[in-house]
Amino acid sequence: MIFVLSGAGLSAESGLGTFRDEGGLWTQYDLSEVATPEGYAKNPTKLLDFYNARRANAAHAKPNVAHQALARLEAEAGAFLVTQNVDVLLDRAGAKSVLHMHGRLDRVLCNKCGARWDAPEVMDPFDHCGQCGAQAVRPDVVWFGEMPHGLDEIEDALSSAEMFVAVGTSGTVYPAAGFVEAAHANGIPTLELNLEPSGGRFDDGRYGPATETVPAWVDEILKR
Ligand code: APR
C-alpha cells in the first residue's frame, strides 16, 4: 500500500491557514495558550474561541482537487491516508478511512470521561458532558504534549508500505516528522509533494501547489 501523510499545505488552497508559513496560525496565536492542556486549564474561553473560529473556517472551506485525488488513490489503489490536519476535508472529499492522528475539529471530547460527540457550532466552557455531566468539554484535537492517535497502526504501515509520501507538511512536529526516517530504515522509497523542499530527507520531491502536484502524481500512480 502507499502511505500518504498530509499536513496543512494540503488544505492551504482551500483557504485554511498553515501554521508556520508567513501569516500562519502560529505567527498569529501563542500555541501554548490555544494548543496545550495548560492553555485549556488556564483560559478555556480563549482556547475554545480559537477552535470555534477554526471550526467555522473549516466548515465553510471546500475540499480541493488534491483532497479529491487522495480520496481516489484510497478508493482505487488502497492508499493509507494519515493526516495531521483536523479539518476533515479528506473525509468530505470522499475518503473512507482517514487516520486523523491529531484529531478532528468536528468532534468534541469530554476531558473527564473520554466521551466523544459531534461538535456544536459554538463550544462554551460551561457546556456539560452528556455522558458524565462534567463541565470538561474540549475539542477532540491532540494538543502539544499529548499522544497522537493511531501510532501502532502507523508503525505497522511504515514497515510494510511500498512507498511513503508526505504532502504539504514542514516535517517539524514529531512523531509525524520521524515517519520518513522510519520509512528509510525499512527500505521504503520516499517522496515529498510540497511548495519547496522541507529538509531534503526524501528520495524524491515534486514541488509546486498541492492542487497541481497531487492530482498529477495520483494520475501517474493510477495509470501504472
Ligand atoms: N501546496 C503544497 N504545500 C504547501 C502549500 C501548497 N499550496 N502551502 C504551504 N505548503 C507547505 C509549506 O511549504 C510547509 O512545508 O505546507 C507546509 C506547512 O507546514 P506547517 O505550517 O508546519 O504545517 P504542518 O506541517 O501540517 O504542521 C504539523 O504542527 O502545529 C502542529 O498540529 C499542528 O498538525 C500540525 C503540525
Side-chain angles (χ1 to χ4, degrees), residues 80-119:
F80 178 45
L81 304 182
V82 177
T83 190
Q84 299 172 92
N85 299 340
V86 293
D87 58 38
V88 298
L89 288 181
L90 273 169
D91 310 71
R92 287 173 49 199
K96 300 284 180 267
S97 311
V98 179
L99 198 165
H100 302 88
M101 65 179 289
H102 288 169
R104 45 192 297 171
L105 278 172
D106 63 343
R107 303 281 284 164
V108 171
L109 170 66
C110 172
N111 227 19
K112 190 155 185 304
C113 75
R116 287 181 159 89
W117 60 93
D118 290 343

Side-chain angles (χ1 to χ4, degrees), residues 48-189:
L48 292 179
D49 285 351
F50 171 73
Y51 282 98
N52 287 332
R54 286 190 68 198
R55 188 180 315 104
N57 285 344
H60 290 114
K62 299 259 178 300
N64 63 51
V65 290
H67 296 103
Q68 289 157 2
L70 292 182
R72 199 165 69 243
L73 190 69
E74 179 197 63
E76 297 176 26
F80 178 45
L81 304 182
V82 177
T83 190
Q84 299 172 92
N85 299 340
V86 293
D87 58 38
V88 298
L89 288 181
L90 273 169
D91 310 71
R92 287 173 49 199
K96 300 284 180 267
S97 311
V98 179
L99 198 165
H100 302 88
M101 65 179 289
H102 288 169
R104 45 192 297 171
L105 278 172
D106 63 343
R107 303 281 284 164
V108 171
L109 170 66
C110 172
N111 227 19
K112 190 155 185 304
C113 75
R116 287 181 159 89
W117 60 93
D118 290 343
E121 206 166 306
V122 177
M123 286 178 67
D124 180 298
F126 304 105
D127 292 345
H128 288 78
C129 169
Q131 193 105 356
C132 73
Q135 199 176 316
V137 172
R138 58 170 281 183
D140 188 13
V141 297
V142 176
W143 287 327
F144 287 95
E146 296 185 323
M147 186 60 77
H149 302 307
L151 296 185
D152 291 345
E153 190 181 350
I154 287 168
E155 191 182 351
D156 286 349
L158 281 174
S159 63
S160 58
E162 63 183 273
M163 182 191 275
F164 172 74
V165 183
V167 177
T169 181
S170 60
T172 46
V173 173
Y174 284 81
F179 293 172
V180 61
E181 268 83 27
H184 282 152
N186 294 325
I188 296 169

Side-chain angles (χ1 to χ4, degrees), residues 7-9 13 18-21 26 84 102 144 168-170 173 194 210:
E13 292 160 91
T18 61
F19 294 93
R20 295 171 184 83
D21 291 325
W26 298 149
Q84 299 172 92
H102 288 169
F144 287 95
T169 181
S170 60
V173 173
N194 200 311

